[in-house]
Amino acid sequence: MLNLLLAVRQRSESLVAPLEPEDLCLQGMADASPPKWHLAHTTWFFDTFLLQPYLKGYEGCDPRWNYQFNSYYEAAGARHPRPSRGVLTRPTIREIFAWRQRVDAALTQLLTSPDADQEDIQQLAELGLHHEQQHQELLLMDLLDGFSRQPLEPAYKTGADHHLGPLEPTQARWISCDGGLYEIGHAGAGFHFDNEGPSHRIWLEAFALMDHLVCNDDFRCFIADGGYQRPELWMSEGWSVQQQLGWQAPRYWRGDGPADQWQEEFTLGGRRRLNPQAPVRHLSWFEADAYARWCGARLPSEAEWEVALQQHQPLIHDAHGKLWQWTASPYRPYPGFLPAPGAVGEYNGKFMSSQFVLRGSSWLTPEGHGRDTYRNFFAPANRWMAAGLRLAR
């Protein structure tokens, strides 16, 4: 546990190594957070929930930092407004790195002590590890958003986007799944977030899932057919949002007007030519749903997605490691779900409204962090995440 935890902590710091000092407070929108804040918040998590309660003699961080780096834990006290995290120039990045080193040393002391085998300590340490991995992905997605808003279109680093290549050059096909009573959700050993359980049974009618993700060329056909100008394809709320914001193409495509004019996209490696066979990405749920309707198909439920992998995983391409995939399922608790007591019980449960579930993982997801039962979730108008789609019928 300790070696993995320290490796994850080190990776967070390596992610900001390519940045200039001016980038560390970059916050492009209210939903994003600056890189420096991510480094501090993940450290605050260990400081507050693990070290202060369980390491004897440990002195917590400056109490003012609790206010600055608490994200949404009401039980942990008041917090700085999320839309204004970019104004937090202090503490300095030097002070935050020093804090991280102090916390890492304290984690080493705690996890090599006679108390290390306590169940609460092990569970909180593992939760903190996976929490930091989540923020590593968020840090990169937030940077992409922030850099995309700048006239100079800076690159995070050369080659930063090379992991997301074209889809396998085979004919996309439907994978049929029988109807019946199935069990979904996490069961057994191994880490999982509380929203992945309890494991439970669910009835599904027969369905089919497309074995490939939808690619850029496919989505360009939707644009060419007036997909963004046809209200009959859209949910009412989605139509209002895209009209208000002027959506004409996926979030980071670059061009204007007819579909053939969208030839480039902005990436973490800078502006690049759009690869027609790469999976289309940075779509809102509303766009994914409209595209599926235009195809005469639909988005899969999260249960269909998980059951299809249970039955046919070798046949389903890019379930993990390319893009999070929108589902038709609202983000709601599974039957029997109970949040953990205390502040950490706020981790997932209180967000189970007004959002949709995404399944899989993306090319930005840290290695070993994804699972078939993982339930990511975002609001339907969000499209800055590494999200794409797979069709069902």
Side-chain angles (χ1 to χ4, degrees):
M1 165 79 81
L2 177 60
N3 289 338
L4 178 57
L5 175 54
L6 294 178
V8 168
R9 297 276 293 160
Q10 180 56 45
R11 181 175 185 266
S12 295
E13 297 181 18
S14 71
L15 289 178
V16 303
L19 301 178
E20 299 295 339
E22 293 83 358
D23 300 327
L24 293 172
C25 283
L26 175 62
Q27 182 180 21
M29 60 176 177
D31 286 339
S33 298
K36 190 174 78 170
W37 188 91
H38 285 292
L39 292 177
H41 168 69
T42 51
T43 304
W44 171 87
F45 189 96
F46 285 112
D47 191 303
T48 302
F49 297 135
L50 184 57
L51 295 175
Q52 292 185 40
Y54 293 100
L55 182 59
K56 295 175 182 176
Y58 179 78
E59 184 177 347
C61 65
D62 185 327
R64 296 173 297 176
W65 294 11
N66 290 325
Y67 177 81
Q68 294 198 169
F69 302 124
N70 179 5
S71 54
Y72 52 69
Y73 297 93
E74 299 286 351
R79 59 199 180 277
H80 185 80
R82 180 176 182 177
S84 301
R85 289 171 181 168
V87 307
L88 300 175
T89 61
R90 303 300 170 91
T92 66
I93 188 63
R94 183 178 64 254
E95 291 174 297
I96 289 174
F97 277 134
W99 181 26
R100 288 181 66 88
Q101 290 175 0
R102 187 167 71 88
V103 164
D104 288 352
L107 288 170
T108 300
Q109 181 183 347
L110 177 62
L111 294 176
T112 56
S113 73
D115 296 329
D117 291 334
Q118 289 185 28
E119 185 176 4
D120 286 354
I121 290 176
Q122 288 291 314
Q123 289 180 347
L124 284 167
E126 193 168 30
L127 177 62
L129 182 160
H130 287 270
H131 168 257
E132 184 137 350
Q133 287 183 315
Q134 285 185 317
H135 277 271
Q136 290 170 353
E137 183 165 9
L138 286 168
L139 186 155
L140 294 172
M141 293 192 296
D142 291 352
L143 274 174
L144 178 59
D145 169 77
F147 283 160
S148 76
R149 298 173 184 273
Q150 302 184 39
L152 296 182
E153 293 188 328
Y156 167 62
K157 66 177 179 179
T158 304
D161 219 49
H162 73 279
H163 294 296
L164 186 62
L167 300 170
E168 294 186 29
T170 57
Q171 184 66 39
R173 62 193 182 99
W174 292 100
I175 304 297
S176 296
C177 299
D178 295 332
L181 191 63
Y182 295 99
E183 186 168 314
I184 66 167
H186 196 280
F191 175 81
H192 63 284
F193 289 112
D194 58 359
N195 65 353
E196 298 175 52
S199 175
H200 61 285
R201 294 181 298 172
I202 188 168
W203 177 268
L204 294 177
E205 300 295 337
F207 68 97
L209 192 73
M210 184 63 74
D211 69 337
H212 277 58
L213 301 176
V214 173
C215 71
N216 287 324
D217 232 12
D218 296 330
F219 202 84
R220 201 194 303 272
C221 294
F222 169 75
I223 298 174
D225 197 39
Y228 281 93
Q229 289 79 46
R230 294 173 55 182
E232 72 273 15
L233 298 175
W234 293 74
M235 292 287 104
S236 176
E237 182 185 355
W239 179 253
S240 297
V241 169
Q242 70 101 331
Q243 289 287 292
Q244 178 185 355
L245 299 179
W247 293 349
Q248 300 180 64
R251 172 70 175 83
Y252 297 119
W253 283 23
R254 294 294 183 259
D256 193 27
D260 60 0
Q261 298 300 306
W262 299 87
Q263 295 293 337
E264 295 179 309
E265 71 174 330
F266 185 74
T267 75
L268 285 169
R271 186 186 283 238
R272 294 184 176 176
R273 187 159 186 84
L274 193 66
N275 184 335
Q277 294 308 310
V280 61
R281 53 181 168 170
H282 300 292
L283 296 173
S284 67
W285 183 90
F286 291 128
E287 290 165 292
D289 177 70
Y291 174 86
R293 190 169 293 107
W294 173 77
C295 288
R298 59 177 175 82
L299 298 178
S301 69
E302 63 170 322
E304 288 173 334
W305 191 96
E306 186 172 329
V307 165
L309 262 67
Q310 291 175 9
Q311 293 189 347
H312 303 293
Q313 188 153 27
L315 303 178
I316 297 176
H317 302 289
D318 302 318
H320 293 280
K322 289 283 190 184
L323 292 169
W324 294 99
Q325 296 145 55
W326 284 111
T327 74
S329 298
Y331 180 49
R332 296 292 296 150
Y334 283 163
F337 170 80
L338 290 173
V344 293
E346 299 181 50
Y347 199 105
N348 284 308
K350 71 180 187 179
F351 299 108
M352 291 176 170
S353 68
S354 305
Q355 309 200 71
F356 280 86
V357 174
L358 299 92
R359 288 303 196 102
S361 60
S362 84
W363 87 105
L364 300 177
T365 307
E367 184 177 356
H369 187 67
R371 291 174 297 282
D372 290 349
T373 57
Y374 201 120
R375 305 177 76 204
N376 207 344
F377 54 92
F378 283 96
N382 290 157
R383 59 186 202 146
W384 50 278
M385 321 82 60
L389 77 149
R390 184 186 302 273
L391 297 175
R393 68 183 184 189

